[in-house]
DNA sequence: AACGTTGAAATAGTTC
DNA sequence: GAACTATTTCAACGTT
């Protein structure tokens, strides 16, 4: 009998290869995630505010336009809810 | 002047309603979370191991979910990888 | 024989009561969480930016001081990394 | 003038180093995530059900973890609630 | 290509 | 205050 390569209609060897490759990559990914955690822990130990560092990194990843857009919508809502001083609205402009 | 309903292009009343409804619901949710904490505190006061109780509840939730697992392609793959006992394969069926 | 109320040294009835009460409360909590999701979904359907709404709600929950503090640290770091224009530093003040 | 190492009270060089190290690691992590996506894409191209493969990998991870579960108070409670077959109880042992 | 769904990452809260 | 857990947020994936 030939070595089993198909079971239930699937190519066992190929499937096993796929699963193993992914598991290997996920291990590597997890290792790097652990490294990142270590750096944050070290930073914290040196008195840095890790939450702020995360924010900085996030801002650096976004391009300027994205930052602009997000803050615009948020500010619009805050103004609508009276959380920020109002700017001249379109309506008021027209009325003028 | 009509009552302001739009500012900066947003429907103020609608936005305010959304925010208030969510905040109300989050209050209720927080109240229930407090109740849960109380029950755990009481249990602990009566000598129970709260960590174990948490585990039990989690397991009961998992058991309930696992019932509805789909058992099709997944099982085939698991069998192919030796994670489940094999069934008679198509090939073997043909051979019979 | 009396009805079993202890097994392995545990007060079964009491334990069962605790578990059931918690499960009941967690059901209620899950229901409210679903309601919240519904409100967000409805808001989205009406063209609102749900992420911004989440931010608004978070800001309303924080008091002004908290917001202030967070932004201060972040800005300090951004300045340190040249992401924002510098302010007069302490050192420079001394030098003057 | 000495090279600037502190601004607004923060150690600039150290902060910059932290941020760069994290960004470097995140790049590597993203690269690996891309590799994983490639493997899935290839698998899909070869006719495999990627969703099922994901399930298999998840199950293999769970199996590995469940081995190390603690089996003490938890089991006692599960037995008390009928989630596990009973063992001879202390009382019954005494009775014998 | 937007939508909901799902899984991972991050934050907040709790316990010791 | 450090570790663990739980909740919340964010991103990826398949789907329509």
């Amino acid at each position: 009998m030939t070595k089993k390569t198909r079971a239930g209609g699937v190519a066992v060897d190929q499937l096993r290869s796929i699963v193993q490759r992914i598991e290997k990559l996920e291990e590597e990914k997890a290792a790097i995630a652990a490294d990142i955690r270590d750096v944050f822990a070290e930073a914290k130990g040196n008195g840095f505010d890790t939450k702020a560092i995360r924010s900085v990194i996030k801002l650096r990843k976004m391009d300027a336009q994205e930052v602009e857009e997000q803050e615009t919508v948020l500010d619009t809502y805050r103004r609508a809810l009276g959380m920020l001083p109002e700017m001249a609205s379109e309506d008021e402009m027209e009325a003028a």
Side-chain angles (χ1 to χ4, degrees), chain A:
Chain A
M1 178 198 177
T2 63
K3 191 143 177 300
K4 178 163 38 327
T5 51
R6 310 207 119 240
V10 287
V12 177
D13 291 343
Q14 206 178 348
L15 176 57
R16 181 173 292 120
S17 162
I18 290 163
V19 169
Q20 285 174 347
R21 279 198 284 159
I22 293 169
E23 285 179 342
K24 177 115 193 309
L25 289 167
E26 291 198 336
E27 258 179 57
E28 292 174 23
K29 191 152 78 85
I32 292 176
D35 289 346
I36 292 173
R37 252 178 274 121
D38 289 345
V39 177
F40 274 113
E42 182 195 326
K44 185 174 193 170
N46 288 331
F48 288 95
D49 179 332
T50 58
K51 191 173 173 184
I53 292 179
R54 283 177 204 277
S55 295
V56 165
I57 290 171
K58 192 183 292 182
L59 287 170
R60 281 163 63 98
K61 199 159 21 176
M62 288 190 200
D63 58 31
Q65 191 185 353
E66 271 178 296
V67 176
E68 189 77 13
E69 280 174 26
Q70 276 201 212
E71 293 191 344
T72 300
V73 180
L74 178 55
D75 285 355
T76 304
Y77 287 6
R78 292 174 80 186
R79 270 193 198 91
L81 295 172
M83 297 169 69
L84 286 180
E86 288 191 43
M87 299 182 68
S89 74
E90 297 162 34
D91 291 12
E92 284 157 4
M93 293 296 285
E94 287 164 11

